[in-house]
């Protein structure tokens, strides 16, 4: 079933292109800005070059938009006549949701990975401790996809889920300092580093590149905890829509 | 008894979708479920499969109680939905394999069964194309194929031929008849009388959530045997004249279809002269009295004409 769902997700070529090319263009644009127009990036990137911080930041941002891969696919099956067709069979609601979740997670992670590869080839970004960075990005994808699914089941419609995701995906990157520097001060430093799931993933990635293992582990652990919470929220939601 | 629906009541808010609905199906039967739009056919089917809870009554499928949780029942039903429920962006083969996987079939039996089903639905050469490149009729055929893939004991088809060309329709009717000859039990829902007449071994007529009659075609026709059917074709028909005809004391039902009035009168009562009198100004073209068919049964029992409903 996962093979089918993977194949199904892969058919959305326009979606994939947008989710890869658009962040790439933005990274290119901001990188140009930082290099030529003496602007500072808002991210606390330690010793990393701006381009590396930008790639991580935009990869994480577009993972949020990429959560639509799971909830739009899911909505096609749950909120349409397809629902009756699928559940006239003995299959469990849980299996359908999980198979879509797993395949969407793989697809979204692949987009992130491709973004990293492209930006290192084209823009010369470098990623120390790459396997650990990828691990953080994978955990972040799982969080976002799960979040999208919970959101859909909670709101019961793709429209609301899309709206919430769009708003969330526009505001959260700002709190990480992706688009412009945040004001100085302890509050904004904490907001930038730990204020949202995206900040946690961002901090964890930068930390592991800097060799700050403790910070890396703490942020990753909190992210995993959030995933567990979402997963537990999923159970009653699934029960609610199955009969 | 393969299926027993017992005095089922189902409400959607204030809508009474099933009103004391009862139905029995024996193994090997092809049941035609005939009723106008909104009669409750789809609701009846969804209740049988356990997709919606019922308010009152009981449903037994394969001798097991349908409580909505019974996976054994679902495993043995093939459901052709009224809407086309296939993945347009996935090939025909992918679709068949996906639906097969929902029933826990293994890879080898899926591969073998896909070839068989492709033959039944006449899509052998097109399995690797995507349904978005199919004609409407081919999509409908794949929609049916996906419900046959796991060789179900009971096949339920909800208006499987809506909106397709006559060739595709007659192809579908032919293979439904073949499935019946091979021993499948089928519930075939339609608001097309000819289809039900062509495939069904027994017919249920449904209206307003209730089964108002059931029987084989000859049995149903025998129920209204006492009636005569007069068909009058005129040059210019009007609703007003239809009302006048309905007001005649001995006329049971009148329907207007194009320029043709179809009038039901009790046998042995001479009303033809009165009818002719009313319609004479409209320019009589032909007058026929004829043997009743299923359409007349429907008209007599419901006072409705199915064709009118189709257009609305
Ligand atoms: N999910 C639903 N919510 C509210 N009303 C419904 C629902 N499904 C069906 N109905 C109503 O129940 C009646 C029977 O509908 P349906 O079973 O679809 O009829 P048919 O399949 O014979 O056209 C109609 O009046 C329809 O509007
Ligand atoms: Mg219907």
């Amino acid at each position: 079933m996962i093979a089918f769902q993977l194949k199904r997700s892969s058919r959305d070529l326009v979606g994939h292109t947008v989710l890869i090319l658009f962040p790439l263009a933005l990274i290119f644009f901001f990188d140009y800005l930082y290099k030529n127009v003496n602007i500072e990036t808002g991210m606390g990137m330690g010793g990393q070059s701006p381009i590396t911080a930008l790639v991580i930041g935009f990869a994480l941002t577009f993972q949020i938009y990429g959560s639509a891969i799971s909830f739009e696919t899911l909505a096609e099956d749950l909120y349409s006549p397809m629902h009756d067709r699928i559940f006239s069979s003995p299959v469990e609601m849980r299996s359908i949701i999980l198979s879509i979740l797993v395949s969407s997670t793989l697809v979204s992670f692949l987009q992130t990975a491709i973004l990293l590869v492209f930006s290192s080839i084209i823009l010369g970004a470098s990623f120390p401790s790459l396997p650990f960075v990828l691990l953080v990005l994978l955990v972040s994808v799982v969080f976002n996809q799960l979040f999208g699914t919970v959101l859909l089941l909670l709101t019961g419609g793709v429209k609301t889920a899309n709206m919430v995701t769009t708003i969330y995906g526009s505001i959260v990157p700002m709190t990480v300092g992706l688009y412009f520097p945040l004001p100085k001060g302890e509050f904004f430093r904490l907001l930038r580093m730990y204020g949202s799931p995206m900040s946690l993933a961002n901090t964890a990635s930068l930390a592991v590149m800097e060799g700050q293992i403790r910070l890396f582990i703490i942020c990753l652990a909190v992210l995993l905890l959030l995933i567990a919470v979402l997963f537990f929220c999923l159970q009653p939601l699934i029960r609610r829509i199955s009969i | 008894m393969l299926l027993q629906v017992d005095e089922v009541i189902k409400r959607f808010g204030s809508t009474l979708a099933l009103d004391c609905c009862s139905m029995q199906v024996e193994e090997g039967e092809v049941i035609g479920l005939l009723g106008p739009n909104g009669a409750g056919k789809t609701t009846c089917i969804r209740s049988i499969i356990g997709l919606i809870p019922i308010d009152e009554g009981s449903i037994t499928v394969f001798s097991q109680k349908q409580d909505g949780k019974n996976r054994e029942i679902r495993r043995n039903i093939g459901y052709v939905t009224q809407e086309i429920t296939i993945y347009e962006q996935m090939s025909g083969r992918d679709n068949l394999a996906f639906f097969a996987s929902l029933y826990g079939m293994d890879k080898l039996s899926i591969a073998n069964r896909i070839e068989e089903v492709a033959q039944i639905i006449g899509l052998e050469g097109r399995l690797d194309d995507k349904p978005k490149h199919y004609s409407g009729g081919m999509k409908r055929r794949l929609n049916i194929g996906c419900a046959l893939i796991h060789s179900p004991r009971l096949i339920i088809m909800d208006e499987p031929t809506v909106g397709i060309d006559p060739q595709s329709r007659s192809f579908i009717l032919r293979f439904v008849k073949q499935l019946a000859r091979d021993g499948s039990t089928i519930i075939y829902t339609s608001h097309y009388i000819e289809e039900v007449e062509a495939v069904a071994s027994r017919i249920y007529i449904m209206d307003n959530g209730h089964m108002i009659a059931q029987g084989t075609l000859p049995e149903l026709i025998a129920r209204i045997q006492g009636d005569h059917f007069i068909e009058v074709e005129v040059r210019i028909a009007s609703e007003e004249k239809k009302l006048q005809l309905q007001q005649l004391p001995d006329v049971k039902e009148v329907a207007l279809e194009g320029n043709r009035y179809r009038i039901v009168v009790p046998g042995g009562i001479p009303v033809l002269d009165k009818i002719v009198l009313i319609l004479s100004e409209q320019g009589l073209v032909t007058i026929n009295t004829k043997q009743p068919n299923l359409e007349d049964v429907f008209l007599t029992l419901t006072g409705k004409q199915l064709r009118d409903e189709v257009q609305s």
Side-chain angles (χ1 to χ4, degrees), chain B residues 209-277:
Chain B
H210 189 72
M211 300 295 180
I212 52 173
Q214 69 83 25
T216 61
L217 186 58
E219 280 168 5
L220 284 171
I221 289 172
R223 278 184 65 157
I224 57 163
Q225 203 54 279
D227 296 334
H228 282 184
F229 295 83
I230 304 169
E231 228 179 63
V232 185
E233 190 184 346
V234 294
R235 253 185 281 281
I236 310 144
S238 75
E239 283 291 327
E240 185 192 338
K241 293 287 177 191
K242 179 182 157 190
L243 278 176
Q244 280 187 29
L245 288 170
Q246 271 164 341
Q247 276 151 13
L248 286 177
D250 294 317
V251 167
K252 281 182 146 178
E253 288 297 341
V254 183
L256 181 58
E257 189 185 319
N259 279 345
R260 229 178 272 263
Y261 294 95
R262 296 160 64 91
I263 306 158
V264 185
V265 297
I269 297 175
V271 283
L272 194 55
D273 49 348
K274 292 180 193 152
I275 292 171
V276 169
L277 202 64

Side-chain angles (χ1 to χ4, degrees), chain A residues 101 139 142-151 154 197 200 220-238:
Chain A
L101 206 53
V139 170
V142 173
F143 172 84
N144 283 309
Q145 296 292 318
L146 209 52
F147 184 75
T149 302
V150 168
L151 194 63
L154 210 58
L200 289 170
L220 198 62
V222 177
L223 263 182
L224 288 171
L225 194 73
L226 289 175
I227 287 177
V229 170
L230 282 179
F231 204 78
F232 281 113
C233 292
L234 199 57
Q235 307 303 322
L237 286 173
I238 290 177

Side-chain angles (χ1 to χ4, degrees), chain B residues 125-141:
Chain B
R126 300 294 305 273
L127 276 189
D128 293 308
D129 294 343
K130 293 174 188 154
K132 63 180 176 191
H133 305 303
Y134 286 1
S135 69
M138 290 166 72
K139 285 182 195 174
R140 282 275 167 200
R141 269 141 61 191

Side-chain angles (χ1 to χ4, degrees), chain B residues 143-161:
Chain B
N143 198 40
I144 299 174
C146 289
L148 303 178
I149 195 77
H150 58 294
S151 317
R153 263 177 88 185
L154 172 63
I155 305 166
I156 304 181
M157 303 189 183
D158 195 356
E159 316 225 12
T161 61

Side-chain angles (χ1 to χ4, degrees), chain A residues 136 139 193-194 199-201 203-205 207-208 212-226:
Chain A
V136 176
V139 170
M193 288 184 71
Y194 314 108
S199 340
L200 289 170
T203 305
S205 310
V208 75
Q212 300 180 30
I213 304 302
R214 226 174 78 90
L215 187 58
F216 160 73
I217 291 177
I218 290 173
C219 291
L220 198 62
V222 177
L223 263 182
L224 288 171
L225 194 73
L226 289 175

Side-chain angles (χ1 to χ4, degrees), chain B residues 10-18 33-46 52 82-83 158-159 189-191 206 208-209:
Chain B
K10 172 68 192 174
R11 295 184 192 87
F12 292 109
S14 59
T15 310
L16 190 57
L18 295 179
L33 179 52
L34 187 65
N37 283 330
K41 304 182 295 295
T42 301
T43 305
C44 181
I45 289 171
R46 294 175 76 214
I52 46 171
Q82 186 172 348
E83 294 85 4
D158 195 356
E159 316 225 12
T189 291
S190 181
H191 59 227
M206 190 172 200
N208 297 324

